[in-house]
Amino acid sequence: MERLKDKIAMVVGAGSIGPGWGNGKATAVTFAREGAEVFCVDRNAAAVAETVKIITGEGGKATAFTADVSQADQVEAMVAACLKAYGRIDVLDNNVGIAEMGSVVEVNEASWDHVFAVNLKSAYLAMKHVIPVMVRQGGGSIINISSIASIRHVGISYVSYGASKAAMNQMTRTTAVEFAAGHVRVNAILPGLMKTPMVEHSAGLAASYAKGDVEAMWRARDAQVPMGHMGEAWDVANAALYLASDESRYVTGIELVVDGGLTCRAG
Ligand SMILES: NC(=O)c1ccc[n+]([C@@H]2O[C@H](COP(=O)([O-])OP(=O)(O)OC[C@H]3O[C@@H](n4cnc5c(N)ncnc54)[C@H](O)[C@@H]3O)[C@@H](O)[C@H]2O)c1
């Protein structure tokens, strides 16, 4: 149970927008269970406090920090605070993400810009400030949480979400190549249909799937997947654990798909 022993891990988007387990919350708890000290960041102070409470309640070590990571000054402050608390950053998990519905015809410009700021600019800013630290230390592992919506139309119209995640994939590949010599690994995880609070509380998703009926949305999502069911936040957390640990030391620039076989199916 010590796959991340002696590592300092920063999880950005470590809360969850409702009760239950979001991907970042499960990842922060998994990292702590494997011996990492976790610097947990979220714009929602109560949500990130809950994640830290779970970790410390289990005997793990974690610190909460509140920031809107679409804002450059707040990302700089986040990195400075982590360095002040721990002196290094071995793992960065960029997990924040939002989905707003609509095709290119329907999405308004403000919504487009907002989705790109939260989903893409946040990861750019975090890497911009964390990579120099990792290079100075002699290396590190960065995990960008993308989505299978970056490579497929999954039946829901949210073009800005898929486009921002697709850009994240290419930013991941490019950055992996550019910092490989500095032993900074940069990988993406592409979750499929996960059963998380974000999905449960998105009126737009429930409306798109099943006219607002959340139970019917769960059934529709289960039915889409070859394995017959959605994934859980823990499936994303376990993939992130592998990429954070030294077990993946020769792996960089990949898109790790975690989707129960969904993207393998033609229709
Ligand atoms: N749930 C799914 O089916 C699914 C599928 C594919 C990809 N993903 C991706 O997984 C990630 C997490 O999803 P989740 O379902 O666990 O969502 P979630 O909303 O439960 O967790 C995301 C957290 O990020 C925080 N956050 C959002 N914007 C922020 C900002 N600007 N600054 C700081 N914190 C911010 C939220 O407060 C929340 O606590 C997202 O990137 C999402 O796109 C989810």
Side-chain angles (χ1 to χ4, degrees):
M1 301 294 281
E2 295 204 318
R3 292 163 71 187
L4 301 182
K5 190 173 180 307
D6 298 331
K7 291 196 191 294
I8 305 301
M10 174 184 276
V11 177
V12 186
S16 179
I17 64 158
W21 292 96
N23 297 331
K25 185 177 177 182
T27 298
V29 170
T30 298
F31 284 180
R33 286 177 182 167
E34 292 293 339
E37 295 188 40
V38 190
F39 189 80
C40 300
V41 182
D42 206 284
R43 69 177 167 195
N44 181 331
V48 74
E50 188 192 314
T51 303
V52 168
K53 194 171 153 206
I54 291 168
I55 292 173
T56 52
E58 293 182 353
K61 291 187 182 153
T63 305
F65 189 82
T66 307
D68 175 349
V69 292
S70 63
Q71 305 298 316
D73 56 341
Q74 296 189 37
V75 173
E76 269 192 80
M78 165 184 93
V79 173
C82 186
L83 288 177
K84 191 168 176 209
Y86 296 109
R88 58 188 291 121
I89 305 170
D90 300 294
V91 177
L92 168 64
D93 185 280
N94 285 316
N95 170 76
V96 303
I98 54 168
E100 295 191 0
M101 300 304 121
S103 68
V104 286
V105 174
E106 293 148 348
V107 167
N108 67 45
E109 201 178 336
S111 166
W112 178 273
D113 288 346
H114 181 54
V115 168
F116 268 73
V118 174
N119 292 3
L120 184 64
K121 188 177 172 188
S122 63
Y124 143 68
L125 289 170
M127 293 199 294
K128 179 180 180 61
H129 293 290
V130 168
I131 286 176
V133 174
M134 289 181 166
V135 169
R136 272 201 305 278
Q137 288 167 188
S141 173
I142 298 175
I143 302 147
N144 291 326
I145 305 302
S146 176
S147 166
I148 60 165
S150 66
I151 55 169
R152 295 285 188 280
H153 191 291
V154 295
I156 293 295
S157 183
Y158 45 17
V159 65
S160 57
Y161 180 74
S164 62
K165 297 290 194 178
M168 177 183 244
N169 296 351
Q170 183 56 16
M171 180 168 70
T172 300
R173 288 186 212 105
T174 299
T175 310
V177 171
E178 292 180 353
F179 294 94
H183 305 288
V184 178
R185 299 185 295 107
V186 191
N187 293 292
I189 294 175
L190 278 55
L193 306 181
M194 318 310 286
K195 193 173 183 183
T196 68
M198 176 179 100
V199 178
E200 183 175 356
H201 295 287
S202 164
L205 278 176
S208 301
Y209 271 103
K211 299 192 174 109
D213 180 340
V214 172
E215 288 306 318
M217 172 175 72
W218 292 147
R219 288 194 295 278
R221 283 166 68 93
D222 282 343
Q224 270 182 276
V225 184
M227 280 189 180
H229 59 87
M230 290 173 280
E232 297 177 353
W234 301 105
D235 298 313
V236 176
N238 286 325
L241 171 60
Y242 165 67
L243 292 173
S245 78
D246 294 339
E247 293 155 31
S248 59
R249 67 185 184 179
Y250 200 54
V251 176
T252 197
I254 68 160
E255 291 165 11
L256 179 50
V257 174
V258 180
D259 75 344
L262 182 54
T263 49
C264 295
R265 191 152 84 182

